[in-house]
Amino acid sequence: MRADQPAGEFRLITPREDNHEYYADHHPGPLAAEHPGLAPNPTDGLFYIRTNSGGRTFRLVTAPVSDTRREFWRETIPNRPEVMLAAVEVFQTHLVLFEREGGLPYLRIVDLIASAPNALAASHRIEFAEPAYNASLGENPEFGASDMRFQYESFVTPRSIFDYDVRTRERTLRKQQPVLGATIQRNT
């Protein structure tokens, strides 16, 4: 249903199937025509769909809003058996993927305006210096933002909130949980 037509009808993305999960996010798509791998003719935008149709660790596909049938799905991020694609957050110029690999969480930034052969080639992971940690997406309500908020903590770094500039790859510490009676050395 379109947000500007609240009395409109709901439209199904794909019919229910046993053991098939999918999660869709809308993108208005002005960049889509220039980005390889996206569905053709996205005049009403497109959906980014995280689906387990290609394997249990999920993959990312796109579909035009005008016709979301599976024959029009175009793979953007393939299923990678060693990497769980746990979540996707859609921004105007980039995607943020929350991945798990080898027991650790990773945040991958996919540049939607980069000239690259595929989405993985147009992406990078946020690097963390510590060998064991937890990281997760924070609150990111602004679609047009060029920075992304995330949380990070480890055995030696208290819970911290960072803003990450996807263009410059710089992070800014916004808040850190105080640890009473301890001196903290920051390694992130």
Side-chain angles (χ1 to χ4, degrees):
M1 171 186 296
R2 293 180 55 97
D4 61 352
Q5 297 173 0
E9 291 187 31
F10 286 102
R11 287 186 9 211
L12 185 64
I13 290 180
T14 190
R16 287 182 187 238
E17 297 175 35
D18 287 341
N19 301 314
H20 181 219
E21 295 178 43
Y22 70 91
Y23 307 88
D25 282 297
H26 181 260
H27 190 284
L31 307 170
E34 302 158 21
H35 187 65
L38 297 183
N41 196 18
T43 56
D44 289 332
L46 54 99
F47 286 110
Y48 282 93
I49 303 168
R50 185 175 68 92
T51 176
N52 68 348
S53 68
R56 60 179 248 178
T57 56
F58 289 82
R59 66 187 176 126
L60 187 66
V61 299
T62 58
V65 170
S66 58
D67 195 341
T68 58
R69 290 178 292 168
R70 286 178 76 170
E71 57 261 31
F72 294 109
W73 288 13
R74 301 293 179 261
E75 190 170 80
T76 302
I77 303 285
N79 176 271
R80 297 163 290 158
E82 71 284 355
V83 179
M84 168 62 85
L85 179 56
V88 176
E89 192 151 333
V90 178
F91 292 84
Q92 186 171 6
T93 61
H94 60 281
L95 306 173
V96 179
L97 310 181
F98 179 61
E99 303 174 327
R100 288 199 170 275
E101 182 177 12
L104 289 174
Y106 292 94
L107 299 171
R108 179 181 297 276
I109 312 300
V110 179
D111 187 344
L112 294 178
I113 55 178
S115 177
N118 59 55
L120 284 176
S123 72
H124 68 276
R125 280 182 170 170
I126 298 175
E127 298 295 327
F128 301 113
E130 297 164 350
Y133 61 87
N134 188 32
S136 61
L137 288 165
E139 295 296 321
N140 293 287
E142 297 297 324
F143 176 70
S146 64
D147 58 341
M148 179 271 301
R149 183 159 289 179
F150 70 92
Q151 297 177 40
Y152 176 88
E153 65 184 321
S154 73
F155 292 115
V156 296
T157 303
R159 183 179 310 251
S160 305
I161 298 174
F162 290 91
D163 283 345
Y164 181 80
D165 188 313
V166 299
R167 289 186 213 129
T168 65
R169 300 185 184 188
E170 293 178 7
R171 66 183 90 188
T172 304
L173 178 65
R174 294 297 180 196
K175 183 178 181 181
Q176 191 168 63
Q177 182 73 35
V179 178
L180 301 177
T183 303
I184 307 278
Q185 183 177 11
R186 209 169 120 229
N187 292 327
T188 60

